Amino acid sequence: MTFSLVARSADSRLHGVVVASKFLAAGALVPAAEAQVGALATQAHVNLAYRPQGLTLLRTGVPAADVVAGLIAADTEREHRQLGVVGASGPGASWTGPACHPWAGGRTGDGWAAQGNVLTGPEVVDALGDAWLAGTALPFAERLVAALRAGDEAGGDRRGRQSAGLLVVERGGGYGGRSDVLIDLRVDDHPDPVAELGRLLAVHTLLFSRPDPATLLELSGAVADEVAALLTALGHPVADDGPEDALVSWAGLENLEERLVPGRIDPVVLTHLRSVAPHVPAPRSGS
């Protein structure tokens, strides 16, 4: 009783799953993904064994369609299952068992698969697919959530709304570079879970996204003077050799440590610092 999208990025570095349902904590059951391997969604009458088994098959290079065929062939309850799979290359694949509650079905393309059951109609899956295809200008995670939002706005689960989830993996993309889980967000029980998932993604982007190297500012001159004044106003003493140590201390308390770059400052960090510090007059030009 769910709709979902599994997909990979154009460069195959990212794989992800986004899901919504009138079901408690669907994000805890439906998605599975492995960096540079693939992703899958198991739904309707969920078979949790599909997750490790499917990723194992994808890891050995089995195409998505053959992964689906292999999983359902060994499952005596396959008529009640729904499954979407995408691999490291090639088209996605989807299965909808004939005993799934209507409306139920799926749609696939190169690098993606959309599916759902107990939906208001086929327009939900069409909206998922169309929004995914139209969202090439968006960052990968935002593109997934935009597609989910389109499916929700097209009618979604005909029983109503309850939960949503987003899982994105990238080799070394997780916190501190020591995990492949780039994003793992869940809205387990909420009256508008897709909107709440979008809000959580925005917070995650602020706190944990790596800064764009092209936008970084040198932590010197007027910028360093302003940062020092702001940090001092917040009670973070600045050493004579510059504000960097105090910036690291403050950023850690604000959970912005993933955005720190030695000798420079991310404009996102500077904007947040300005927003939370007491008013401090900006240094004069050239100071």
Side-chain angles (χ1 to χ4, degrees), residues 116-287:
N117 63 95
V118 197
L119 304 182
T120 58
E123 65 275 4
V124 178
V125 168
D126 286 341
L128 278 168
D130 291 346
W132 171 255
L133 293 172
T136 54
L138 294 172
F140 183 74
E142 292 181 23
R143 187 179 177 189
L144 285 170
V145 173
L148 191 72
R149 185 179 301 113
D152 189 52
E153 291 174 351
D157 188 325
R158 63 182 170 88
R159 300 167 306 157
R161 300 179 173 97
Q162 187 167 8
S163 67
L166 171 67
L167 175 64
V168 178
V169 296
E170 179 187 18
R171 185 65 54 83
Y175 184 83
R178 295 177 177 85
S179 165
D180 293 343
V181 179
L182 179 63
I183 302 171
D184 187 2
L185 297 174
R186 281 174 33 193
V187 180
D188 288 346
D189 188 21
H190 193 279
D192 194 356
V194 176
E196 178 65 5
L197 185 65
R199 186 190 71 81
L200 290 178
L201 177 59
V203 175
H204 186 281
T205 300
L206 168 66
L207 296 178
F208 301 123
S209 291
R210 271 59 165 191
D212 180 353
T215 66
L216 294 172
L217 304 172
E218 293 293 331
L219 196 56
S220 60
V223 173
D225 291 343
E226 180 186 4
V227 169
L230 292 169
L231 290 169
T232 299
L234 286 167
H236 291 266
V238 175
D240 292 340
D241 60 353
E244 190 155 358
D245 288 345
L247 179 62
V248 170
S249 175
W250 168 81
L253 293 175
E254 293 290 312
N255 302 317
L256 288 166
E257 62 273 11
E258 289 288 277
R259 285 190 169 273
L260 294 180
V261 178
R264 291 181 285 178
I265 186 168
D266 181 356
V268 172
V269 174
L270 181 55
T271 297
H272 185 66
L273 178 59
R274 288 168 173 162
S275 73
V276 298
H279 177 70
V280 174
R284 295 179 181 178
S285 177
S287 63

Side-chain angles (χ1 to χ4, degrees), residues 36-111:
Q36 297 182 359
V37 169
L40 64 88
T42 171
Q43 56 200 51
H45 187 43
V46 170
N47 185 342
L48 293 177
Y50 281 1
R51 301 193 304 182
Q53 292 170 358
L55 292 176
T56 296
L57 291 169
L58 289 169
R59 203 178 300 125
T60 63
V62 176
D66 292 340
V67 170
V68 170
L71 291 175
I72 65 172
D75 186 355
T76 59
E77 296 293 318
R78 56 185 170 273
E79 292 191 351
H80 300 274
R81 314 292 192 197
Q82 193 168 52
L83 175 65
V85 179
V86 66
S89 62
S94 185
W95 160 261
T96 298
C100 290
H101 293 290
W103 188 88
R107 179 179 163 192
T108 63
D110 185 31

